[in-house]
Amino acid sequence: MNSYAAIGRRALLTAGTLLATPALAQRGPRPTLLATTGMVGDLVRGVAGEGFNVETLIGEGVDPHLFRPTRNDVARLLRADAVFYNGHRLEGRMTEVLERAAAQGRPILAVAETLPRERLRPNEDYPDAADPHVWMDPTLWAECAPAVAQTLNRLRPGEDFRRGVEAIRMRLSRLDAYAREVLAPIPAASRVLLTAHDAFAYFGARYELEVESIQGLSTEAEASLANIEAMVRLIVERRIPAVFAESSVPDRAVRALIEGAGARGQRLAMGGVLYSDSMGRPGTYTGTYEGMMDHNITTIARALGGNPPPRGLNNRL
């Protein structure tokens, strides 16, 4: 039996236990929890369960590095009963409004900043912060769940959110096992993940892939011609087989790499489009964290020589 399948069976048993447990009585109207990104919203929803209304501020395909809140966005933030954001400057242009929400005394949590700094990767753009793309390692992302539960206890003192935390841990453990299994067969020479911007360092560290990117951690600056030329040289020297575009980043630089490599006699394939700073369309499988990561893992494995099943972990791609 595949390791991720065995873990999945235990996860289903855990989920069944949760569904069989009588829900706690509602204590008035459901509080509204506002998350900045889809990844944070999915995590909060998994911990909170049905007793809360969980909303997401930054929509599908929108780059949080560049997001500027409108007046309506600010009003939503200030009305919410609690606010959850990623932190480490992912939402760099929202600092002022997040500080205003915190000053009003409402619960507010930067989920990625709850992890020990020694577990995180440095941020060359902002020395005071870490690399914010923590969700790219499912095991690290699961470790953010207990802090979400503690914050929810400020709204519902005494309510037990441990079952939601455990369900997330089991589900992401299965996702991690799947990634390790389907990425392991990629040949050593092909274990280079070339992406539009530097969002996959945690992913690469977890699954032993070398990560190269055209842009840095933030997408605020365009890739320079010098960066493109240096990356083309690397592609030719290392015979890198594929490059990956990202759903929330324009693919101009990726296309320039393909053309530049081709001009030097090196065929560079488009490996696919990955979800980096944004999930898929709400209501779809890739509009969930598990679906987003399943898509990424399966796409990368297929393009670089791994052995993923045709429709991914849950047969939903």
Side-chain angles (χ1 to χ4, degrees):
M1 180 184 294
N2 292 332
S3 57
Y4 60 84
I7 295 172
R9 181 168 297 177
R10 291 196 296 273
L12 288 172
L13 289 173
T14 300
T17 300
L18 295 178
L19 291 172
T21 302
L24 292 173
Q26 292 293 322
R27 303 174 185 175
R30 295 195 306 168
T32 293
L33 312 176
L34 186 61
T36 51
T37 69
M39 296 78 73
V40 173
D42 191 274
L43 181 71
V44 171
R45 191 173 292 108
V47 176
E50 298 298 322
F52 296 82
N53 176 38
V54 182
E55 300 177 356
T56 301
L57 186 68
I58 303 174
E60 168 203 2
V62 178
D63 185 346
H65 295 284
L66 305 178
F67 179 76
R68 290 186 181 276
T70 64
R71 183 175 300 179
N72 183 58
D73 294 329
V74 173
R76 290 179 66 194
L77 280 162
L78 298 179
R79 284 197 308 265
D81 295 290
V83 176
F84 296 84
Y85 67 108
N86 188 83
H88 286 303
R89 292 184 176 266
L90 180 74
E91 307 93 343
R93 302 186 180 191
M94 293 182 60
T95 302
E96 182 180 346
V97 67
L98 290 168
E99 289 175 348
R100 285 175 60 189
Q104 291 187 353
R106 72 192 66 241
I108 182 166
L109 179 71
V111 296
E113 294 181 11
T114 64
L115 297 170
R117 193 61 174 268
E118 61 269 18
R119 301 285 307 281
L120 304 182
R121 302 181 67 83
N123 187 333
E124 295 180 359
D125 296 328
Y126 300 104
D128 63 326
D131 180 342
H133 304 93
V134 174
W135 63 89
M136 287 297 180
D137 179 339
T139 61
L140 270 181
W141 197 233
E143 291 182 27
C144 297
V148 173
Q150 292 174 8
T151 302
L152 294 176
N153 275 132
R154 292 179 58 185
L155 295 175
R156 292 273 178 83
E159 190 160 329
D160 190 353
F161 296 101
R162 288 176 296 181
R163 289 192 294 272
V165 170
E166 177 62 14
I168 287 171
R169 188 190 70 79
M170 291 292 294
R171 189 167 67 249
L172 299 196
S173 177
R174 175 174 177 255
L175 183 66
D176 176 61
Y178 171 70
R180 286 187 279 110
E181 186 161 322
V182 302
L183 295 169
I186 296 173
S190 298
R191 300 189 72 85
V192 181
L193 178 58
L194 177 57
T195 61
H197 93 291
D198 194 5
F200 290 84
Y202 291 103
F203 186 95
R206 179 66 182 172
Y207 304 114
E208 300 181 346
L209 295 169
E210 180 183 342
V211 177
E212 298 288 348
S213 58
I214 306 167
Q215 293 173 260
L217 290 174
S218 174
T219 55
E220 291 188 282
E222 289 282 345
S224 68
L225 182 59
N227 286 347
I228 298 291
E229 291 176 346
M231 197 62 63
V232 167
R233 287 196 298 271
L234 179 68
I235 291 164
V236 173
E237 291 168 5
R238 299 283 302 277
R239 302 191 68 81
I240 295 174
V243 62
F244 298 87
E246 298 174 31
S247 65
S248 56
V249 179
D251 68 356
R252 292 186 297 273
V254 170
R255 297 292 176 186
L257 280 189
I258 293 173
E259 292 173 7
R264 298 192 184 191
Q266 170 70 33
R267 181 182 181 276
L268 181 66
M270 172 64 83
V273 178
L274 304 179
Y275 296 103
S276 54
D277 293 346
S278 172
M279 303 196 306
R281 181 165 49 85
T284 67
Y285 178 52
T286 56
T288 67
Y289 172 77
E290 186 174 14
M292 161 196 182
M293 292 297 291
D294 184 8
H295 168 89
N296 286 353
I297 294 162
T298 302
T299 300
I300 292 166
R302 183 177 297 125
L304 297 184
N307 66 343
R311 298 192 62 198
L313 170 63
N314 294 315
N315 200 35
R316 297 181 63 184
L317 295 178

